[in-house]
Amino acid sequence: MNIHYPFAFDRRGRVAETPRDDHVRDMIEQLLFTGPGERVNRPDFGSGLQQLVFAPNSVELAAALQFTMQASLQRWLGDVISVDALSVDVRDATLDVALSYTILATGEVRNDMLSRSVS
């Protein structure tokens, strides 16, 4: 069962489900936007991306973030996806995160782009 994120109920009053591909993207978003220490029983879960909203933007920040995101994706979702490419680019006050991955169960290749403004 692939539970929809964010959690919701469907028209029948049951827990809403989502297709596998969307569920995998939801898991990636949860991992990337959760800060380490945010989950009580898994204090090392997350990448810290959300905590950088107010951090000074720099090439060094992007490199560090790319390293921590790659490690988090491999650790927590390594049995679900294979990361093909991950890049974090600095553009003015924005960090652009581009992720290309293969869903291991289906072999489907997906490309996602996330942009977050940091100042």
Side-chain angles (χ1 to χ4, degrees), residues 45-108:
F45 180 85
S47 71
L49 176 63
Q50 197 68 21
Q51 297 170 335
L52 299 176
V53 172
F54 299 108
N57 204 6
S58 68
V59 176
E60 294 80 14
L61 174 77
L65 181 60
Q66 183 172 344
F67 178 76
T68 59
M69 287 173 54
Q70 179 79 32
S72 293
L73 287 166
Q74 286 178 337
R75 177 173 183 197
W76 296 105
L77 296 177
D79 59 336
V80 178
I81 65 170
S82 171
V83 176
D84 300 325
L86 174 64
S87 67
V88 179
D89 299 314
V90 176
R91 188 172 37 93
D92 297 327
T94 304
L95 281 176
D96 292 325
V97 178
L99 173 63
S100 176
Y101 59 93
T102 303
I103 300 173
L104 297 177
T106 63
E108 181 184 352

Side-chain angles (χ1 to χ4, degrees), residues 8-47:
F9 295 101
D10 62 15
R11 296 183 316 241
R12 300 172 293 178
R14 298 180 183 169
V15 173
E17 295 183 36
T18 190
R20 178 192 311 244
D21 297 342
D22 292 341
H23 181 65
V24 170
R25 179 167 167 66
D26 291 344
M27 289 191 302
I28 292 170
E29 282 187 17
Q30 289 176 45
L31 176 63
L32 295 182
F33 295 119
T34 299
E38 198 171 312
R39 293 201 177 172
V40 176
N41 292 327
R42 294 188 188 261
D44 50 348
F45 180 85
S47 71

